[in-house]
Amino acid sequence: IFPKFLLEGDREKLKNLITVWGSGKVNINTADRYVLEILMEYCRKQLQNQNISENNPGDLAERIIQLRPFDSVGDLQTKLTNQRSLDSSQINILNELYKVIDFKSACFYIGSNGKIGNSNLSSRIYCIFGRDKKNITYWHES
């Protein structure tokens, strides 16, 4: 399930940042720096597979974080190019990135922990809420 280029330590860090719920794309507005850097590396590898060797993302992940939020691909392009021009490598990376990103989340994780007074009795409830259908897709109580 993990891209082959990830090291075992990366896989351990990443497993807490992904979900089986949603569209399968990454919300660029909420992804942390580590996830964006992994996406940049994924895009770089995809370009290598297409025999495109000019593919250094530079500070693209940092620029994305600084300019968020974005509404669309066009908004992302406009904000990035208004800040400063993109070189051909960054444009290539972005073209690959557009295939794996989204601009809003389809599902949300909602969790709650409760405890009765000073007792040892406690409970945890969490659910996955689907934005599109406005329903609870999954829930668990412990």
Side-chain angles (χ1 to χ4, degrees):
I1 187 169
F2 291 102
K4 293 178 183 174
F5 64 82
L6 290 177
L7 302 173
E8 193 60 41
D10 291 332
R11 292 176 186 183
E12 285 302 309
K13 292 177 197 173
L14 186 61
K15 76 178 186 180
N16 294 323
L17 301 172
I18 61 174
T19 180
V20 297
W21 306 98
S23 67
K25 293 187 174 188
V26 174
N27 182 341
I28 197 159
N29 289 313
T30 58
D32 73 4
R33 180 182 324 283
Y34 183 68
V35 171
L36 290 176
E37 288 171 357
I38 289 172
L39 283 177
M40 299 298 161
E41 180 64 13
Y42 168 79
C43 292
R44 196 178 72 72
K45 293 289 186 180
Q46 291 299 104
L47 290 168
Q48 281 181 347
N49 292 341
Q50 299 169 36
N51 295 320
I52 300 173
S53 60
E54 182 184 41
N55 51 32
N56 179 9
D59 65 345
L60 199 52
E62 179 62 31
R63 289 173 65 189
I64 287 170
I65 290 169
Q66 290 175 356
L67 296 170
R68 293 191 286 204
F70 307 104
D71 296 327
S72 64
V73 169
D75 186 36
L76 173 59
Q77 288 174 332
T78 299
K79 286 180 178 177
L80 284 171
T81 55
N82 282 347
Q83 186 187 37
R84 72 173 187 257
S85 62
L86 299 170
D87 63 29
S88 62
S89 297
Q90 292 172 327
I91 291 169
N92 287 338
I93 293 287
L94 279 174
N95 287 334
E96 286 300 310
L97 188 65
Y98 297 148
K99 298 174 186 176
V100 295
I101 63 169
D102 207 339
F103 298 92
K104 65 179 183 176
S105 296
C107 295
F108 298 90
Y109 173 88
I110 302 168
S112 178
N113 295 314
K115 186 174 179 183
I116 299 174
N118 292 329
S119 73
N120 290 332
L121 297 174
S122 65
S123 183
R124 176 183 161 109
I125 300 171
Y126 63 92
C127 72
I128 306 298
F129 180 80
R131 169 185 273 172
D132 297 339
K133 295 182 180 177
K134 296 179 177 52
N135 68 347
I136 294 176
T137 305
Y138 173 83
W139 73 277
H140 182 77
E141 182 178 343
S142 64

